[in-house]
Amino acid sequence: QKEVEQDPGPLSVPEGAIVSLNCTYSNSAFQYFMWYRQYSRKGPELLMYTYSSGNKEDGRFTAQVDKSSKYISLFIRDSQPSDSATYLCASKAGTALIFGKGTTLSVSS
Amino acid sequence: EPEVTQTPSHQVTQMGQEVILRCVPISNHLYFYWYRQILGQKVEFLVSFYNNEISEKSEIFDDQFSVERPDGSNFTLKIRSTKLEDSAMYFCATKTVATNEKLFFGSGTQLSVL
C-alpha cells in the first residue's frame, strides 16, 4: 500500500511562532522523504529532502524522519508571513512521489 | 532560476474531446513527469518518462493517456477522449541526475472538462 497521510489544516499562527507539520506513511519500502511548499496557483517547490532517519536543518526549517514509527515532520522556526502556503509531505516509491494532502499554513503579522 | 514552462495555463474542453498539454522542461533535464491535482485532493503521480520511454505509470494513466517528446524538447500529455473526472490541475515536473531527488514543477495547466 502506498499512502502518505498528513495532518489536516488549516493552521494559523502568529509571526515568530514555531510551526510543526506532520505526516505518517505506511510503506516501509519508502526511501526518500520530502517537504514541498505550494503557493496558490503554482506548482510544488521542494523545500527539503532526506534519505535517512534523523534531523536535517536548512535555515529556519528542520525536517525530521523517524523510520521506526513511519513519521515525518517539518519544523519552521521564527515563522514569517511569507511562509504562508500549503506544505506537502511526500515519499518516493520507485520513480513516483506519493504526496500527502497538504497542510495550509497561515502566518499572521 | 530556470523554470519548467507549461502551456496553456488554462484549457477548457468539451467531454469527449482530445486535449494536449505541453511542457518545456529545463534545459538538460532528462527525466520527465506528469502529476495531477483534483481540486481539494492530493497531488497524484501519473507517469514518468526517460530516454523516450515510459519508466512508470499509475493506475490513473490508462489507455486514454499518452506522453511523448515530439521534437526532442517539448514534453506533452495527451488525453484522447476527456471525461468530466479529468478536470484537474496538471503539473509537469523535470529533473536531471545532477539535481538528485529534486523535481522542478511547472505552474500547471488547469483543465476544465464540461
Side-chain angles (χ1 to χ4, degrees):
Chain A
Q1 189 179 9
K2 297 181 179 181
E3 288 292 335
V4 175
E5 297 301 326
Q6 188 164 359
D7 282 355
L11 183 61
S12 295
V13 301
E15 183 176 357
I18 296 173
V19 176
S20 172
L21 305 169
N22 306 292
C23 290
T24 59
Y25 64 96
S26 56
N27 193 331
S28 299
F30 286 165
Q31 296 292 320
Y32 290 92
F33 306 92
M34 291 90 164
W35 284 96
Y36 280 81
R37 178 173 60 196
Q38 186 176 24
Y39 292 111
S40 181
R41 301 181 186 278
K42 294 288 188 182
E45 172 193 18
L46 181 67
L47 277 176
M48 302 179 70
Y49 77 87
T50 183
Y51 176 74
S52 58
S53 281
N55 293 350
K56 184 175 181 179
E57 192 172 316
D58 184 0
R60 297 185 294 110
F61 298 88
T62 299
Q64 190 175 79
V65 175
D66 182 345
K67 287 188 175 182
S68 62
S69 58
K70 299 188 180 68
Y71 204 77
I72 314 164
S73 299
L74 179 71
F75 300 96
I76 307 173
R77 291 183 299 280
D78 187 25
S79 55
Q80 302 294 310
S82 58
D83 294 330
S84 298
T86 297
Y87 290 81
L88 311 171
C89 60
S91 296
K92 189 161 180 268
T95 63
L97 290 184
I98 309 300
F99 283 91
K101 197 171 180 179
T103 301
T104 298
L105 171 67
S106 176
V107 181
S108 56
S109 56
Chain B
E1 189 173 59
E3 290 184 343
V4 175
T5 304
Q6 288 186 244
T7 57
S9 57
H10 195 180
Q11 174 87 49
V12 181
T13 190
Q14 295 292 322
M15 189 171 54
Q17 295 297 304
E18 175 184 284
V19 294
I20 298 176
L21 309 183
R22 293 182 168 79
C23 170
V24 178
I26 294 171
S27 175
N28 85 339
H29 281 203
L30 302 176
Y31 297 82
F32 311 108
Y33 308 80
W34 284 102
Y35 286 81
R36 79 172 186 189
Q37 186 174 30
I38 295 172
L39 186 63
Q41 298 189 24
K42 297 181 179 182
V43 175
E44 300 174 291
F45 169 75
L46 293 178
V47 66
S48 56
F49 187 88
Y50 170 71
N51 200 25
N52 284 319
E53 61 182 31
I54 291 174
S55 306
E56 186 177 352
K57 60 183 180 180
S58 71
E59 293 177 354
I60 302 168
F61 195 89
D62 61 21
D63 291 345
Q64 292 302 309
F65 291 86
S66 62
V67 290
E68 64 174 358
R69 290 190 76 198
D71 55 9
S73 59
N74 295 328
F75 180 51
T76 63
L77 174 69
K78 181 193 290 186
I79 309 175
R80 255 179 281 281
S81 178
T82 50
K83 302 187 279 282
L84 295 176
E85 54 265 38
D86 293 328
S87 295
M89 180 73 88
Y90 288 80
F91 292 108
C92 172
T94 73
K95 79 178 185 80
T96 191
V97 173
T99 64
N100 291 321
E101 297 306 320
K102 182 175 182 178
L103 283 187
F104 291 78
F105 281 82
S107 292
T109 293
Q110 179 65 56
L111 176 64
S112 300
V113 182
L114 306 179

